[in-house]
Amino acid sequence: MASLSLNSLSVQPPSHPRKLVDTLSSTHSGGLKPIVVCGNPPTFVSAPGRRIVAVGDLHGDLAKARCALELAGVLSSDGQDSWVGGGTVLVQLGDILDRGEDEIAILSLLKSLDVQAKATGGAVFQVNGNHETMNIEGDFRYVDYGAYDECTDFLQYLDECDHNWEEAFVGWVGVSERWKEDKKLSEGYWGSWDLVKRQKGVIARSILLRPGGPLASELARHAVVLKVDDWVFCHGGLLPHHVAYGMEKMNREVSNWMRGLSGSDDSPEIPFIAIRGYDSVVWSRLYSRDTAELEDNQVDQIQSILEETLQAVGAKAMVVGHTPQSTGVNCKYNCSIWRIDVGMSSGVLNSRPEVNYFVTKCIWFELM
């Protein structure tokens, strides 16, 4: 592999091509009406007749991510990372970063699947979680040692791709594992104690994830709250004051901040309402609390807040991640809230992957 000089890199952020209204159609959609996407990043999605599948927090565990996607019926089981979901709409609920070593590979896989899905009338959407926003703020407290190595390797691969972001980003999942094996065999693989190696990883991560950096700009394509038909998807939880503030406005402000455009009049320096504080969209755990530990009046109050939120946004239920559910995927408050973070990553609970299907009613399946 070619040598890497972090100081000489000139990395261009990816483009940001989504329109205010984007129609995703295909000649292979089996007669389904086109998917219509409104907002930049996507905020409202109409996906008539589609099966909607949601996957929770993945935290850098590529093997578990593949298992979950195979379980969802959207990823081939032959190791070719092919989309087999047809017109399915897949929603991933954030927290791909931290606690695992294959973060960029998972993001690359989802990007590749989105490209493939659009050719068959489907689509892949992501929402950003608190660990995505933490990293863009420079908070690397939960970064796995291997993830620093992946950042260094990915910048080298980007250089070998002549800084063609789209080519490098989509292709990374296909080469990342081979590169790791090659390094172990050819270099004897430096251990985590090597300070020079670790420093290079921190610099590489900072280049990629600073506001305006190429990976931060890629994450800026995604929302912090997304409504698909009658379902609201977000990482932590949507509250009435978020809806009053404006879902599209929040998504746009977070996106601008990630892209390094927060100095404009249209966006605050840091979009506090969405990414900071215990009641922000990516941090709230209000709907994920164990109801067995709450008083009856607290349960009633939370249900009232949830109903007010859903009524305000015109949805029948909300789907959240963020808080690992040791008992597996579950719903509460008359199934108006679905909690689907099962801590599947080996860096969290190392539990069995689970996915959720949302059409006219909710069904969930567990990998045995």
Side-chain angles (χ1 to χ4, degrees):
M1 293 183 284
S3 61
L4 171 67
S5 175
L6 295 175
N7 294 329
S8 65
L9 285 170
S10 175
V11 182
Q12 296 299 317
S15 59
H16 200 273
R18 280 209 187 261
K19 302 175 182 178
L20 184 61
V21 178
D22 194 5
T23 301
L24 310 180
S25 60
S26 170
T27 56
H28 304 287
S29 58
L32 293 172
K33 293 181 179 179
I35 296 172
V36 178
V37 180
C38 298
N40 183 12
T43 303
F44 301 101
V45 176
S46 173
R50 275 18 180 239
R51 183 181 67 130
I52 303 169
V53 183
V55 176
D57 306 33
L58 298 174
H59 281 301
D61 192 327
L62 180 60
K64 288 291 185 70
R66 284 187 170 125
C67 284
L69 296 173
E70 288 180 26
L71 180 65
V74 299
L75 181 70
S76 63
S77 58
D78 59 3
Q80 299 302 306
D81 289 335
S82 300
W83 175 264
V84 294
T88 299
V89 171
L90 170 68
V91 183
Q92 197 283 322
L93 288 180
D95 274 13
I96 291 171
L97 300 186
D98 289 339
R99 305 189 190 279
E101 64 179 16
D102 291 308
E103 309 160 310
I104 306 175
I106 295 174
L107 291 167
S108 171
L109 174 60
L110 291 174
K111 178 74 171 185
S112 174
L113 291 177
D114 184 37
V115 173
Q116 297 176 59
K118 287 174 181 174
T120 61
V124 177
F125 295 98
Q126 297 168 238
V127 297
N128 287 311
N130 61 301
H131 282 269
E132 280 73 42
T133 62
M134 288 167 64
N135 274 268
I136 294 173
E137 287 191 79
D139 185 344
F140 297 164
R141 283 179 292 169
Y142 301 100
V143 180
D144 186 271
Y145 282 140
Y148 285 122
D149 297 337
E150 187 188 29
C151 289
T152 304
D153 290 345
F154 177 71
L155 278 184
Q156 181 174 330
Y157 181 64
L158 182 61
D159 187 45
E160 293 190 3
C161 292
D162 295 323
H163 296 275
N164 183 324
W165 174 264
E166 296 295 332
E167 176 187 342
F169 187 60
V170 173
W172 178 243
V173 67
V175 302
S176 60
E177 290 171 301
R178 174 169 54 82
W179 274 42
K180 283 196 295 185
E181 290 302 316
D182 288 348
K183 283 181 64 175
K184 290 178 181 179
L185 292 173
S186 63
E187 299 177 3
Y189 203 64
W190 297 346
S192 60
W193 53 267
D194 192 292
L195 297 180
V196 174
K197 178 188 176 188
R198 196 61 48 221
Q199 184 180 37
K200 291 175 76 173
V202 172
I203 294 170
R205 193 173 189 87
S206 299
I207 289 171
L208 289 168
L209 283 165
R210 66 174 186 265
L215 190 52
S217 296
E218 183 67 39
L219 293 172
R221 298 174 187 259
H222 310 306
V224 291
V225 57
L226 178 72
K227 182 172 182 277
V228 183
D229 293 340
D230 295 329
W231 302 91
V232 175
F233 298 89
C234 58
H235 182 68
L238 190 71
L239 302 172
H241 71 280
H242 299 146
V243 181
Y245 187 80
M247 290 166 55
E248 284 189 89
K249 183 178 180 181
M250 283 192 302
N251 285 338
R252 184 174 63 251
E253 288 179 350
V254 175
S255 179
N256 286 345
W257 167 68
M258 289 181 166
R259 294 165 61 204
L261 304 178
S262 60
S264 65
D265 294 336
D266 188 45
S267 180
E269 188 66 25
I270 292 182
F272 191 94
I273 192 171
I275 70 167
R276 286 279 192 89
Y278 71 95
D279 64 346
S280 64
V281 178
V282 302
W283 279 101
S284 176
R285 300 186 193 272
L286 180 67
Y287 306 131
S288 298
R289 297 175 64 184
D290 186 351
T291 54
E293 299 177 356
L294 300 174
E295 300 291 338
D296 289 345
N297 66 316
Q298 292 177 305
V299 172
D300 292 341
Q301 185 178 22
I302 294 171
Q303 181 160 352
S304 177
I305 292 171
L306 176 59
E307 290 174 354
E308 180 183 348
T309 304
L310 294 174
Q311 183 176 7
V313 77
K316 63 183 178 183
M318 189 184 306
V319 187
V320 299
H322 188 42
T323 304
Q325 305 292 308
S326 59
T327 58
V329 171
N330 61 82
C331 69
K332 295 294 180 182
Y333 306 109
N334 297 321
C335 280
S336 292
I337 190 77
W338 283 80
R339 294 101 67 96
I340 71 167
D341 176 12
V342 296
M344 70 178 79
S345 170
S346 59
V348 185
L349 299 180
N350 197 28
S351 63
R352 293 175 294 184
E354 298 180 31
V355 300
N356 270 59
Y357 297 78
F358 301 95
V359 193
T360 56
K361 62 180 180 178
C362 299
I363 309 173
W364 66 271
F365 297 86
E366 182 177 89
L367 180 63
M368 300 304 292

